[in-house]
């Protein structure tokens, strides 16, 4: 199909189309990068948990009384300091969003190799999904801290085992949905005319 002036459409050089700026092996390289990022999250899980504890220090401070403090090496956030209910919350491997982000990265890498969507959509969907998991886990950490300060061990048990587990499931479902909606949504007609997906 030609435009009204009879001239063929100019080639589009976006991430989702074939063009001189997009070498044919780009998908493989990006898939390897996603696999490598998943491996790095596993290998450097202690550092990531400490980063989550550091972020959690600010979030926990919003929902608890007293002051907060961070032990980076142990990935422990202390809260309620200066009150009778001072406590510490340690981010373990099972409580880290890294263990949920890793499968998401592997799914994104699989999409990249399958050529079922454009590069930009797969990367965008993966980033959004990972951000959802991190944000959900921060909310979970804040709830655990708040419940623990108000109701002690019983509050910790409810927040960690029941409410926290439900919130984690919601976060996983939301992240996967975000990846699928962004990566697999139908292309517009203009996208199909401008070139084939890489």
């Amino acid at each position: 199909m030609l435009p009204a002036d009879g001239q063929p459409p100019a080639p589009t050089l976006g991430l989702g189309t074939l063009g001189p700026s997009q070498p044919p092996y780009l998908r493989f390289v990006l898939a390897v990068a996603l696999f490598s990022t998943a491996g790095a999250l596993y290998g450097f899980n202690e550092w990531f948990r400490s980063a989550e504890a550091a972020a959690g220090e600010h979030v926990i401070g919003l929902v608890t009384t007293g002051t907060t403090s961070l032990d980076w090496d142990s990935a422990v956030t202390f809260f309620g300091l200066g009150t009778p209910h001072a406590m510490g919350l340690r981010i373990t491997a099972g409580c880290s969003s890294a263990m949920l982000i890793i499968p998401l990265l592997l799914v994104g890498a699989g999409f990249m190799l399958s050529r079922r969507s454009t590069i930009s959509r797969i990367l965008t969907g993966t980033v959004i999904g990972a951000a959802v998991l991190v944000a959900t886990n921060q909310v979970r950490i804040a709830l655990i801290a708040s419940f623990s300060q108000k109701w002690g061990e019983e509050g910790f048990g409810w927040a960690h085992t029941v409410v926290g587990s439900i919130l984690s499931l919601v976060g996983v479902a939301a992240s996967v949905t975000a990846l699928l909606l962004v990566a697999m949504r139908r292309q517009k007609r203009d996208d199909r005319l401008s070139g084939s997906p890489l």
Side-chain angles (χ1 to χ4, degrees):
M1 178 180 295
L2 295 178
D5 59 6
Q7 297 298 321
T12 303
L13 303 181
L15 282 174
T17 58
L18 290 170
S21 63
Q22 303 299 322
Y25 54 81
L26 181 58
R27 275 184 175 270
F28 177 77
V29 171
L30 291 174
V32 170
L34 290 173
F35 276 117
S36 299
T37 303
L41 275 180
Y42 182 82
F44 295 94
N45 184 255
E46 291 186 5
W47 182 91
F48 189 84
R49 287 190 282 118
S50 294
E52 284 188 300
E57 179 186 5
H58 301 287
V59 177
I60 289 173
L62 299 175
V63 297
T64 59
T65 58
T67 59
T68 60
S69 179
L70 172 68
D71 182 347
W72 174 275
D73 293 334
S74 301
V76 176
T77 299
F78 297 98
F79 57 94
L81 300 177
T83 74
H85 307 289
M87 304 179 70
L89 187 62
R90 183 171 185 265
I91 309 300
T92 63
C95 292
S96 173
S97 61
M99 296 298 103
L100 301 176
I101 296 174
I102 289 173
L104 187 75
L105 293 173
L106 297 180
V107 172
F111 277 147
M112 195 70 71
L113 293 175
S114 70
R115 301 173 64 89
R116 293 176 60 86
S117 182
T118 62
I119 290 174
S120 59
R121 288 177 179 174
I122 295 172
L123 292 178
T124 301
T126 303
V127 170
I128 292 175
V132 168
L133 290 173
V134 171
T136 303
N137 201 50
Q138 288 296 312
V139 173
R140 177 174 174 268
I141 291 171
L143 284 176
I144 292 174
S146 178
F147 279 41
S148 298
Q149 190 177 60
K150 290 179 180 178
W151 297 294
E153 292 186 7
E154 184 178 357
F156 174 85
W158 274 97
H160 186 271
T161 306
V162 181
V163 180
S165 297
I166 294 174
L167 189 59
S168 293
L169 290 175
V170 171
V172 170
S175 66
V176 173
T177 300
L179 173 57
L180 293 177
L181 287 178
V182 175
M184 305 304 293
R185 74 177 187 270
R186 292 178 60 87
Q187 298 183 43
K188 297 179 180 179
R189 182 173 179 81
D190 290 344
D191 293 337
R192 294 197 300 267
L193 290 177
S194 62
S196 303
L198 271 179

